[in-house]
Every structure is written in C-alpha cells, then in structure tokens.
Amino acid sequence: MLKINNLHAGVEGNEILKGINLEVNAGEVHAIMGPNGSGKSTLASVIAGKEEFEVTEGNVEFDGENLEDSAPENRAHKGIFMSFQYPVEIPGVSVTNFMKTAINESRKARGLEDMPASQMLKLIREKAELLDIDRKFLSRSLNEGFSGGEKKRNEIFQMAMLEPKLAILDETDSGLDIDALRIVANGVNKLKSKDNAVIIITHYQRLLDYIVPDFVHVLHEGKIVKSGTKELAHELEAKGYDWIKNGAVV
Amino acid sequence: MAYTEEELKKELETKEYEYGFYTDIESDTFPAGLNEDIVVAISKRKEEPGWMTDWRLKAFKAWKEMEEPEWANVTYQKPDFQAISYYSAPNSKPKYDSLDEVDPELLDTFKKLGISLDEQKKLAGVAVDIVMDSVSVATTFKKTLAEKGIIFCSISEAIKEHSELVQKYMGSVVPQKDNFYAALNSAVFSDGSFCYIPKGVRCPMELSTYFRINQAGTGQFERTLVIADKGSYVSYLEGCTAPARDENQLHAAVVELIALDDAEIKYSTVQNWFPGDKNGKGGVFNFVTKRGICEKNAKISWTQVETGSAVTWKYPSCILKGDNSIGEFYSIAVTNNYQQADTGTKMVHLGKNTRSTIISKGISAGKSQNSYRGLVQVSSRAENARNFSQCDSLLMGNECGAHTFPYIEVKNKTAQIEHEATTSKIGEEQIFYCNQRGIDTEKAIALIVNGFSKEVLNKLPMEFAVEAQKLLEISLEGSVG
C-alpha cells in the first residue's frame, strides 16, 4: 500500500530525513519510534504532503502511484489520513460542519454527489458511539477550548468518519491520561481491518500496549536504524534510546 | 501541488470583479456639474412639491460651506464634484405591471448578478423594489402590502403621494447639515426607497431593494426613509452590486430609520460595489450616512456585510432616545487588494435602561486596510445604560492592515460598558489541517472565514445569509462561487 524509497527530505536546505525505506501493506500496524528530533513528525508530514518540506531524493508511493506533486487534499482523497500531534482550532466551524465538508469534498473528488443529510447523521451517530463521544461535543467549534484528550479523541473520530486506507497517528498518545488513551486505542482497534493500515508514531511504548504493532521501526537522525517486532519496543523501553544512539545498531 | 502563501496571495490579487460588465441602456443624463440650477432641475424633473425643492436648496447652501472630512483612516483622490452628472434615469421609463414587460437587456443584467426576480418572488415572498440608476423600474408585491396599510415605494413617489409623512420625518434623524456627504445627498438625491409600517402591524415579508450604479460617471445618491409606527415590526434588506468602471464612482447615500414606541426595525445590507481592480484602479467611493432613532422600548438592529467599494466610510448608528430602547450593530467588512474600509457604528444612549450590542468582524487580505471606528456615548440622564462591544479582525497575508478605533464617552456612573477585541491570522497550519482532511485551500479559506463571521451571518434573514456567504467566498477567492 505504502512504499517509501530512499526518502530524503528537509526544510530550507536542512536535511531531516536521510534515506528512509519503508513498506506498509494492508492489514498491518507499524510503529515508528525514536528520540526527539529524529524526524518522526517530519516523516508523517511528508507522507501527508505538507508543503513546507522539500523532498530532495527518493519518493513515496501509495497504491503503486508516486505521490510526488500530489497536493495534500488529493492524498487525503486517495485515503491517507493523519492524526495531528497538535490539532488546529477553527473557531465558528462545528465538528459536524467540518466533517460534512471533508466527506463531501472527498466524494466530489470521486465524482459522487453530496452525502444525503440523513445518511450523514446516521454515520455521525454511529461513529460517535464507537468512540464514546457526547453528541453535544459535535456542535462545538472545532478544537476550540478542547482539552488535550478531547482533541485527540476528535482526531480519531474524524478518522472513523473518513475511513482512510492508511492512518498515520502522530504522537496521538501525548497529553492523554490513561482513560483517554484507552478510549482512543479502542477506537483505533475497532477501525482496524485487513484492508487498511496504521502507522503509529510515538516516543513511548505505552500506546503499543493497547494497539499492538506488527512491526516496530526505530528512527534516529533521519534514518530507520532498527526494525523488528513488538519486542523491540519493550527492549527500547528497558534500555532507552541511548542504546540506539550509542551505535549498537543492526 | 498545494498552495504556498505566495501563490495564494497571487490568486487573491488576480481575482477580477465578477460582476464587471456594463449594460447598454439608453439613459437620460444631466450634464456634469453642480449648482442651484441643477438642484432645481432635479426637483422639477421629479415633479416634486415646492417644499421639497426648498429643502434641497437649503441643503445645497449648507453643503457649499462645508469641507470634505479627512479624519477617516483612508486615503484617496477626492472626487471633483463638478465633474459628476447628478441625474440619470433609464429611458424606458413607464412602470411595468409584470416583469415580462421589462427591457430584456435589463433582465439579462440582473441574471448576471444572480438576482432572479422570479426566484426572489418565490423565496419566502420577498417584495423587490429595484433602483436601477436612480429610478425605480419595478415594484412587486405592492398589493399584499397595501392590504396591511404598509407603504413601500420609491422615495420620489412618497414625496408626491405621502408628502406629510416625508415632510415630517425626512431629515429628522440625519439633518441636512449633518455632514458633508449627507448635505450633498440632501441636495441632489435622485431616488431611493420609502417604507411606512402602520401602528401594530407586523410586516409579513422581508422588504428588499437592490441598488446598482450603471451609467458611467453618474454618482448615485439614494435616500431611504423607513418609519415603523408604534408597536410595528419590519425587516428591510438592501443589497448592492455595481458594474466595473474605470473612473471612481461616488456613492453617497443617506438612510434614516424611525422606530416609534415599541417598534422594531431590522435593517440588513449586503454591499458589493465594484472594489477596483487588483492594482487599485477604479472602484466605488461609498460614503454613507445611516442612522436610526429609537423611541420608548423600540429596537433597531443593523446588520451589514460589506465586501465591495474601493473606499468605504460608513457608520450605521442608533440614537437610543426612548427609555428601554435597544440598538444593535452586526458587521462583516471584507477588504482585498487596495480596498480601504473605515466602518463601525455610533450608539448614543440618551434614555434610561438603554442597551446596545456591537459585533464587528473585519477581514483583510491583499494590501487592504480595514478599520473599525465606533463610538459608545452615554449621556448623564441615561441611567443603567449597557453596552457590549466585540471587534474581531482576521488577517490574510502580511501586507494588509486591521485597525480598531473604539471611542467611549460616559457621563453616567451607572453605565456598564464592555469592550473585547481580537486579531488573528489565517495560518498555514489551519489550511494544511483542512487540506489533510481533503478540503482544498479555497474551500478551507471559505470555511474559516464563514466560521469567523458566523455570529453576524446568523443575524441575516435566511435567504440573504446564503447570498452573503457566497459573496464572502467570491470576495476572497478566485473561482469559488
């Protein structure tokens, strides 16, 4: 589904990703771990197509198609979703209105008519239930005055609504207490299927207790320095990132 | 590829005026210039009674002694008042019983403007009085209104047929000498609308008027007078669009609202005069005086969506004369390219327990300057007066400006005045967030701007809100419509 080939990318001539290779297939859950500044969030942003980052070498393929020159909204239409580490506030735009717009824009891109209101309402109700979201919450302005937990839960709600093929969760666990973490993780687990894939970007291992990855990759200085199964996450937790930094790799 | 801020800015700048076309309708136009003879000629031409001619002449005398004000936060080439023609009327003058009889080219013009009269009629029973270059060409729904005793006609007709009412109230809220532009308007106003709602009557439909400037080089000087008698209610809608012109066009209107005891007037405006091109060439000068007076327990609510004009100078105000009266001002002002807007309100609290609310939303893009200027005045007799003001500014790009000039004058200790102000910028992060959810940049901006303006858009009547939302999108984004 996703194939990253020797990806080099940076911002304003400053190279952050220095040759990433990664393949993610349908039905898989990958965790990308690494210390601060290793390039985790940059990788997520580059896959999502954020303009600020310049790809200098290599590429990202999605469903066999080179994503180079594909605008972020087009990538979203193809089924790439990113849960933001810091979701942005949009005052005066309700969660419902935002989702309605997003869904209908994606449908338009696929040549479909707007989703009928009744169907939309049904979908919203269904997904809100799945994530234990109060209906009142949906009429509030997007992310405005939301607690850290509410913001992250809202991100997963949007993921549930948009039903992406590939979901990238960028530090979704940061700022979450244990209850919120469980709700978010349950939501992701319920949405997992053999047809979609999840990339979890995280600093800590704790989210991986709830969403069990098939593969764990360790990112350091813009490169994947170690890959393994979920045991690698435990090993990292026990030994710390210094273990990686000190060059005891591969 | 997605937009960078640079590209976005470029696209905003190149957005040409959507309604930039010119209709070739034969006009009967006065020669340029202004003197007593012209004032008398206008009055004669309109077959006005003697008192009206005298009233105009008094205004003209006052105007000659006045100077164009310079305190607003705008800079422009002052118009040459002797180069303007003060009267222009479409030639196909006779009134029509049905729209089928109206000049097809005129109807075509309205179509381009997106104003389908048929649709308007169907929409919740809106009566439309069209002022096309100063003379009313069509009035609909007159009968339904007449049954309730409501008078809704052109001001010219009212001067002739409802002389007493006009003579009593015209100039009672905005005196001839009020300011430079009001004096000019008083001398040369060509037409406009008149509305009277009798005691205790609730006007069953939204009253609507469309104004357009059409003939090259003719300033338009409308005069609107709305009188809501005791215990009555009316919602009045005013929408403007104008075709593209090279030279600056002057628009100096006067609107007077009179809300007698327990009456309520809701006055909504969507203004989309030609704003000039992306280099700041052309565009309408919009110097408008709008004011209403509230008697006991009366309420006046101004709502405006201002997207057009090269220069806007406009302060819809309320004089809260009667005890317990209420004044409201809800405004969205959008400026792009080289547009300049200096707009706001005055809330003058004279009566006891008077209340006022001001919600102002300014959106600036391009190289434009957007100013809010507001005065809240509480007189010594106005016990327990209350005001709440909120001024929010939204900036797009780095070359525009947003300014707030709130003035507060309080002479009574019991007054409660609150003022809140915020300034924010549409960020690349907000746009990327929308993009990531599949919403392209244009749509994202529309979404953000509509969210920002929501409190004001919600105050507009339903059918107008849709149009206003569309206008916001058109004003800020290339092809979205």
Side-chain angles (χ1 to χ4, degrees):
Chain A
M1 180 185 288
L2 180 78
K3 200 159 178 265
I4 301 176
N5 309 304
N6 188 30
L7 183 69
H8 291 253
V11 66
E12 285 164 4
N14 183 16
E15 193 167 73
I16 301 168
L17 302 181
K18 298 167 181 166
I20 303 255
N21 290 293
L22 180 67
E23 196 168 343
V24 178
N25 297 308
E28 293 175 354
V29 176
H30 289 243
I32 294 177
M33 303 182 71
N36 289 330
S38 56
K40 302 189 299 283
S41 286
T42 300
L43 179 60
S45 296
V46 170
I47 298 170
K50 195 173 188 186
E51 277 289 305
E52 195 184 319
F53 298 100
E54 200 189 339
V55 175
T56 46
E57 212 185 316
N59 65 18
V60 179
E61 279 174 43
F62 188 69
D63 282 343
E65 191 185 340
N66 187 352
L67 288 183
E68 198 182 351
D69 295 336
S70 176
E73 63 268 25
N74 296 334
R75 299 181 191 213
H77 298 157
K78 289 184 174 95
I80 296 176
F81 177 91
M82 176 173 137
S83 163
F84 282 58
Q85 185 176 1
Y86 304 108
V88 180
E89 295 181 5
I90 305 185
V93 178
S94 68
V95 176
T96 305
N97 186 18
F98 186 67
M99 273 298 96
K100 194 181 87 183
T101 309
I103 284 177
N104 284 335
E105 286 298 298
S106 287
R107 287 174 69 96
K108 202 162 77 185
R110 278 179 281 142
L112 296 171
E113 296 275 304
D114 281 2
M115 185 182 276
S118 57
Q119 201 183 328
M120 183 78 74
L121 278 172
K122 200 177 144 231
L123 188 68
I124 288 172
R125 203 173 302 144
E126 199 183 296
K127 304 295 183 184
E129 231 161 75
L130 184 75
L131 289 153
D132 205 6
I133 284 173
D134 188 347
R135 297 281 295 283
K136 264 185 253 159
F137 176 85
L138 302 172
S139 57
R140 284 171 61 186
S141 283
L142 189 67
N143 292 322
E144 200 184 29
F146 284 20
S147 70
E150 282 173 331
K151 282 184 183 171
K152 295 300 171 70
R153 209 191 298 181
N154 181 33
E155 292 292 287
I156 304 304
F157 169 70
Q158 293 184 37
M159 170 184 152
M161 290 291 291
L162 293 166
E163 297 174 339
K165 281 192 204 161
L166 174 68
I168 306 161
L169 311 183
D170 186 10
E171 307 265 0
T172 296
D173 49 339
S174 69
L176 288 190
D177 61 32
I178 199 75
D179 291 332
L181 188 72
R182 196 172 292 141
I183 292 168
V184 164
N186 280 344
V188 174
N189 285 331
K190 282 182 204 164
L191 295 167
K192 244 172 36 182
S193 81
K194 63 174 175 33
D195 301 317
N196 60 30
V198 182
I199 297 176
I200 299 166
I201 289 175
T202 182
H203 189 88
Y204 303 104
Q205 185 268 335
R206 63 174 194 161
L207 181 63
L208 307 182
D209 284 343
Y210 297 95
I211 309 170
V212 182
D214 301 302
F215 302 96
V216 174
H217 311 277
V218 181
L219 199 61
H220 178 54
E221 289 179 345
K223 277 184 181 166
I224 290 176
V225 292
K226 200 167 175 63
S227 293
T229 55
K230 63 179 188 219
E231 280 72 31
L232 180 58
H234 291 290
E235 202 172 350
L236 265 178
E237 188 81 353
K239 295 184 180 171
Y241 284 113
D242 285 343
W243 170 57
I244 298 296
K245 286 181 192 170
N246 292 339
V249 291
V250 186
Chain B
M1 289 302 267
Y3 289 70
T4 61
E5 199 167 353
E6 264 322 295
E7 283 166 336
L8 176 64
K9 239 168 16 195
K10 209 169 280 166
E11 182 171 319
L12 287 173
E13 278 163 13
T14 52
K15 184 238 141 204
E16 294 293 340
Y17 188 69
E18 277 240 322
Y19 300 146
F21 54 86
Y22 169 67
T23 309
D24 190 19
I25 296 174
E26 271 184 74
S27 276
D28 165 13
T29 302
F30 274 26
L34 185 56
N35 54 46
E36 280 194 9
D37 293 342
I38 292 281
V39 175
V40 172
I42 292 170
S43 193
K44 261 204 183 129
R45 185 60 200 260
K46 302 180 77 65
E47 299 160 358
E48 289 173 355
W51 64 265
M52 193 71 243
T53 317
D54 293 343
W55 198 87
R56 284 176 182 273
L57 284 170
K58 205 176 132 198
F60 178 67
K61 222 178 225 166
W63 178 75
K64 277 199 297 189
E65 306 299 319
M66 296 170 96
E67 275 179 34
E68 209 171 339
E70 288 176 350
W71 44 261
N73 186 27
V74 294
T75 49
Y76 59 96
Q77 175 88 48
K78 284 183 184 171
D80 176 357
F81 293 97
Q82 294 304 335
I84 295 170
S85 165
Y86 288 85
Y87 186 79
S88 160
N91 253 354
S92 359
K93 182 116 191 278
K95 298 254 175 184
Y96 307 104
D97 293 328
S98 82
L99 290 172
D100 308 339
E101 295 170 36
V102 174
D103 190 335
E105 200 176 342
L106 180 67
L107 289 179
D108 200 44
T109 303
F110 288 127
K111 245 178 234 153
K112 280 189 221 164
L113 286 168
I115 307 159
S116 150
L117 287 173
D118 289 322
E119 239 176 54
Q120 286 285 353
K121 280 197 218 165
K122 278 179 215 152
L123 269 172
V126 178
V128 181
D129 178 71
I130 305 150
V131 177
M132 170 79 166
D133 255 37
S134 324
V135 174
S136 291
V137 285
T139 306
T140 43
F141 281 89
K142 233 175 173 173
K143 264 192 191 160
T144 327
L145 295 174
E147 279 165 16
K148 295 236 170 201
I150 294 166
I151 306 165
F152 180 41
C153 61
S154 70
I155 195 94
S156 311
E157 199 182 324
I159 289 165
K160 282 180 272 184
E161 287 172 27
H162 308 282
S163 196
E164 270 170 52
L165 279 172
V166 177
Q167 205 172 352
K168 182 171 174 191
Y169 288 108
M170 189 185 267
S172 69
V173 192
V174 180
Q176 285 133 301
K177 285 189 251 183
D178 188 80
N179 67 69
F180 183 83
Y181 307 115
L184 179 64
N185 175 288
S186 299
V188 303
F189 71 88
S190 34
D191 214 333
S193 293
F194 175 84
C195 173
Y196 171 80
I197 316 292
K199 271 180 204 161
V201 169
R202 203 180 155 83
C203 186
M205 58 184 79
E206 314 273 358
L207 296 183
S208 161
T209 307
Y210 283 97
F211 293 106
R212 286 185 63 236
I213 298 177
N214 196 46
Q215 196 64 26
T218 59
Q220 202 174 25
F221 303 92
E222 304 97 344
R223 187 96 199 179
T224 301
L225 182 58
V226 179
I227 304 158
D229 211 329
K230 290 177 182 170
S232 68
Y233 167 84
V234 64
S235 170
Y236 190 95
L237 319 178
E238 171 198 61
C240 316
T241 49
R245 287 277 119 224
D246 265 347
E247 70 261 54
N248 289 305
Q249 289 177 300
L250 179 62
H251 177 76
V254 171
V255 176
E256 292 178 284
L257 308 184
I258 292 119
L260 298 178
D261 293 359
D262 305 301
E264 182 178 346
I265 302 175
K266 206 171 143 60
Y267 195 100
S268 314
T269 305
V270 171
Q271 185 266 116
N272 184 30
W273 304 105
F274 178 49
D277 65 15
K278 65 182 160 72
N279 300 314
K281 193 165 181 278
V284 169
F285 289 176
N286 191 22
F287 303 134
V288 180
T289 307
K290 288 184 167 179
R291 196 177 301 151
I293 190 162
C294 287
E295 299 290 348
K296 241 182 22 225
N297 306 320
K299 180 177 173 183
I300 288 178
S301 189
W302 297 100
T303 307
Q304 60 172 22
V305 178
E306 302 277 318
T307 61
S309 295
V311 181
T312 298
W313 181 100
K314 181 180 171 186
Y315 316 91
S317 304
C318 296
I319 298 169
L320 303 171
K321 182 179 163 218
D323 293 349
N324 314 312
S325 60
I326 298 170
E328 293 175 339
F329 175 74
Y330 301 100
S331 169
I332 302 167
V334 180
T335 53
N336 197 358
N337 297 319
Y338 285 89
Q339 279 178 279
Q340 306 174 70
D342 192 303
T343 184
T345 184
K346 280 191 274 187
M347 292 292 174
V348 181
H349 293 254
L350 300 175
K352 295 185 177 70
N353 307 313
T354 46
R355 281 183 287 152
S356 62
T357 305
I358 299 170
I359 308 282
S360 165
K361 305 274 182 180
I363 301 156
S364 334
K367 294 184 167 69
S368 69
Q369 297 295 327
N370 202 327
S371 304
Y372 166 81
R373 185 183 303 276
L375 169 67
V376 177
Q377 200 176 48
V378 178
S379 81
S380 56
R381 289 173 294 117
E383 295 286 321
N384 300 314
R386 277 163 59 189
N387 163 266
F388 174 76
S389 301
Q390 184 186 328
C391 304
D392 299 324
S393 305
L394 186 67
L395 299 166
M396 299 171 70
N398 296 322
E399 291 173 288
C400 55
H403 315 268
T404 307
F405 303 96
Y407 302 84
I408 299 173
E409 291 171 17
V410 180
K411 291 184 179 147
N412 187 306
K413 281 184 193 164
T414 61
Q416 271 185 49
I417 311 284
E418 291 172 73
H419 181 92
E420 289 178 8
T422 65
T423 303
S424 53
K425 214 180 139 180
I426 293 190
E428 281 176 38
E429 283 298 322
Q430 272 178 321
I431 290 180
F432 176 62
Y433 188 79
C434 294
N435 288 162
Q436 209 300 306
R437 298 301 186 249
I439 301 166
D440 69 24
T441 300
E442 284 195 39
K443 195 87 190 171
I445 289 173
L447 199 67
I448 294 165
V449 166
N450 277 323
F452 173 77
S453 315
K454 200 169 143 199
E455 284 163 279
V456 177
L457 287 173
N458 283 347
K459 295 289 169 187
L460 287 170
M462 223 2 217
E463 61 271 33
F464 230 36
V466 176
E467 195 176 320
Q469 223 160 15
K470 206 169 125 188
L471 249 185
L472 289 184
E473 292 180 16
I474 290 171
S475 304
L476 289 165
E477 303 154 53
S479 55
V480 171

